[in-house]
Amino acid sequence: MSSLTRVPRASRKQSDDRRADFEQRVLRAVEELLADGTPYTEIAVQKIAVASQAARSTFYRYFPDKSQLLIRMADLATADLFAAAEQWWETEHADHESGVVAAIGAMIAGFRQHRYLLLALSEVAAYDRDVGAYWRERVATFVDMVRARLESDRERGLIHASVDPAATAIVLTSMVERSITVAFAPSSGIADDALAAALGRAIWLVVYGDAPRK
């Protein structure tokens, strides 16, 4: 006999699908509202709810406040961005900088797609405790992955023995994060491919520029 309290699998899937659809509508609505230059803090919840075709009560059932909304939207927006970076760090790339440039290019493309939301995230993280803690933890996870890869490459003799994996991981991650944020300012005039080439070359030279040659 099936449990009277257990939710059938089909019902759970329908519920998950409804939530995913709702979150995507909210993400599109928030990004469209940010696109005209309105600061995130000035966008009312009611306006987001209307733009995403959701009742205010439905909105608050998923997002208790605007900080939690921004955190969830950032999760959705950065999924592909971090996946591109992680894919590069999981492959062999010591021989040439082209692989680094390609990975950074994919990250920049992901940032370009969600630039209004991610720029708002960077701004709000500076003063909102919950958003700031979320973003620091998100970045720290990536730093740990980079550090682990650098440690592995150093043990295998692929990078110079003097490279400090922990410090270098922080430097590289901060360089990428800050460079993309600054380059996406309206007045920078830097093309995405030029930014990818410059960042990719800088990263490769830092990690492999003085690597032992066989």
Side-chain angles (χ1 to χ4, degrees):
M1 179 181 297
S2 61
S3 169
L4 296 178
T5 60
R6 183 179 301 164
V7 179
R9 182 175 300 175
S11 297
R12 290 200 302 271
K13 184 178 185 307
Q14 290 174 355
S15 177
D16 291 343
D17 289 345
R18 284 196 299 270
R19 174 165 189 143
D21 176 70
F22 173 68
E23 289 181 339
Q24 287 298 326
R25 296 204 318 269
V26 172
L27 175 60
R28 289 193 295 270
V30 170
E31 291 186 322
E32 288 171 2
L33 291 170
L34 288 169
D36 66 1
T38 303
Y40 180 74
T41 53
E42 296 180 14
I43 299 176
V45 167
Q46 179 61 29
K47 196 169 185 177
I48 299 173
V50 170
S52 58
Q53 301 178 335
R56 190 183 180 96
S57 58
T58 301
F59 185 90
Y60 277 117
R61 185 163 73 247
Y62 289 105
F63 309 113
D65 55 50
K66 284 177 65 178
S67 294
Q68 295 306 310
L69 166 64
L70 184 57
I71 288 171
R72 179 55 185 154
M73 294 301 99
D75 262 341
L76 296 175
T78 58
D80 291 340
L81 187 152
F82 277 98
E86 290 168 3
Q87 181 179 7
W88 176 68
W89 280 103
E90 291 172 354
T91 60
E92 295 295 337
H93 39 66
D95 293 335
H96 197 272
E97 66 192 67
S98 59
V100 193
V101 173
I104 293 297
M107 289 184 67
I108 291 171
F111 198 105
R112 172 69 67 186
Q113 181 182 0
H114 300 291
R115 61 191 179 281
Y116 300 114
L117 179 73
L118 295 176
L119 289 172
L121 174 69
S122 178
E123 176 188 349
V124 175
Y127 57 80
D128 184 290
R129 182 171 59 185
D130 291 340
V131 175
Y134 156 79
W135 189 238
R136 286 191 297 273
E137 181 178 357
R138 191 82 166 91
V139 172
T141 301
F142 184 72
V143 170
D144 286 343
M145 181 189 66
V146 175
R147 175 191 52 75
R149 178 54 188 265
L150 292 175
E151 288 175 347
S152 173
D153 280 1
R154 191 174 66 172
E155 290 175 0
R156 296 165 60 199
L158 298 177
I159 62 178
H160 199 279
S162 64
V163 172
D164 184 311
T168 304
I170 291 174
V171 168
L172 295 178
T173 304
S174 300
M175 178 173 65
V176 171
E177 180 188 15
R178 187 59 184 159
S179 295
I180 292 177
T181 300
V182 171
F184 268 64
S187 59
S188 78
I190 300 175
D192 290 0
D193 56 349
L195 178 61
L199 264 178
R201 178 169 174 75
I203 292 170
W204 192 86
L205 288 173
V206 168
V207 177
Y208 301 107
D210 58 353
R213 301 303 176 196
K214 295 182 180 179

